[in-house]
Amino acid sequence: MAKLQLHEPVVLALPLGGVPVAVEVARALNAPLDLLIVCKIGAPGNPEVAVAALVDGEPPDVVLNREIIETYALDDAALAALIRAERPKLERRRLVYRGNRKPLSVAGKTMVVVDDGAATGMTIKVAIRALKRRSPREIVVAIPVSPPDAVADLAREADRVVCLSQPGQFRALSYHFLRFPRVSDEEVTAGLTEAASRHVIRYGGENPPAPT
């Protein structure tokens, strides 16, 4: 990653699993680390099918899945109700993971979106589409493992994709790691704290006050 010569990189981890990977990427790039929280909005009666997604921000971005919306014949009122029902979940996750800290400014900077892998890449694609609305200079996806077709899909969305392993016979993510423990909320906050201690972070695009 360090060889890519990225312009003002900011590393964005998709919690939970992406955080340990992102901590190492941020260390290699000497870059600030933040979270990119995505909440799926499930279809009525079938919550595993996403009609849209909420991506944390100020304000949060709503990314729609037009094909699924049409399949379920959702009108604007029904869709707005589904989105409204998911907002508290996004707020809870933001409070648990970030506390009172504001998200990092991304305008004009290189966003490095990190997860622990991508089986389909859908969550990362949603994140990319939301980030594009925030005027970044470039969006780079960094993942350790993903099947070739998912990498190809992500390459059509992002400016660059760095994927260390693209096995032809892809199984669940856990099969491609020697150890794949569940990441806890405490590990997420510890990772952010550790990264902040190594780098001067500018929250909300504002520099911290100079010492007197």
Side-chain angles (χ1 to χ4, degrees):
M1 289 296 298
K3 296 179 181 179
L4 295 180
Q5 298 181 334
L6 304 176
H7 175 81
E8 290 192 71
V10 174
V11 177
L12 297 178
L14 291 167
L16 296 166
V19 174
V21 183
V23 167
E24 299 303 323
V25 172
R27 181 182 290 114
L29 295 175
N30 189 28
L33 172 65
D34 202 355
L35 301 179
L36 191 59
I37 304 169
V38 178
C39 282
K40 179 174 67 176
I41 299 171
N46 194 354
E48 293 304 312
V49 176
V51 298
L54 275 171
V55 182
D56 189 31
E58 294 185 332
D61 283 290
V62 179
V63 180
L64 302 178
N65 189 337
R66 294 290 184 185
E67 182 179 353
I68 301 300
I69 291 171
E70 292 175 3
T71 299
Y72 281 81
L74 296 173
D75 59 21
D76 290 346
L79 184 59
L82 290 172
I83 294 170
R84 191 164 52 248
E86 289 299 316
R87 285 292 293 267
K89 182 186 295 184
L90 181 67
E91 299 296 334
R92 285 195 300 271
R93 290 182 182 177
R94 175 194 293 160
L95 182 62
V96 169
Y97 300 148
R98 185 181 283 122
N100 294 323
R101 294 179 294 185
K102 294 182 180 180
L104 294 175
S105 173
V106 304
K109 299 175 184 176
T110 299
M111 299 294 96
V112 183
V113 180
V114 180
D115 206 350
D116 55 0
T120 66
M122 183 57 64
T123 301
I124 298 176
K125 283 192 285 187
V126 167
I128 292 169
R129 291 171 186 177
L131 285 176
K132 286 179 178 178
R133 302 173 185 174
R134 304 177 191 180
S135 304
R137 178 188 179 102
E138 184 181 19
I139 298 175
V140 178
V141 172
I143 47 178
V145 61
S146 181
D149 54 345
V151 173
D153 283 345
L154 291 173
R156 286 188 282 270
E157 301 278 350
D159 295 292
R160 287 190 265 183
V161 177
V162 178
C163 181
L164 300 182
S165 176
Q166 300 181 45
Q169 297 297 321
F170 185 86
R171 303 174 73 181
L173 281 179
S174 59
Y175 285 95
H176 301 279
F177 290 83
L178 292 176
R179 294 179 62 251
F180 197 73
R182 178 178 175 80
V183 178
S184 67
D185 293 342
E186 291 75 18
E187 287 174 289
V188 170
T189 54
L192 290 175
T193 301
E194 190 267 342
S197 70
R198 288 185 288 101
H199 201 281
V200 177
I201 296 182
R202 293 177 293 176
Y203 287 101
E206 296 180 359
N207 289 321
T212 56

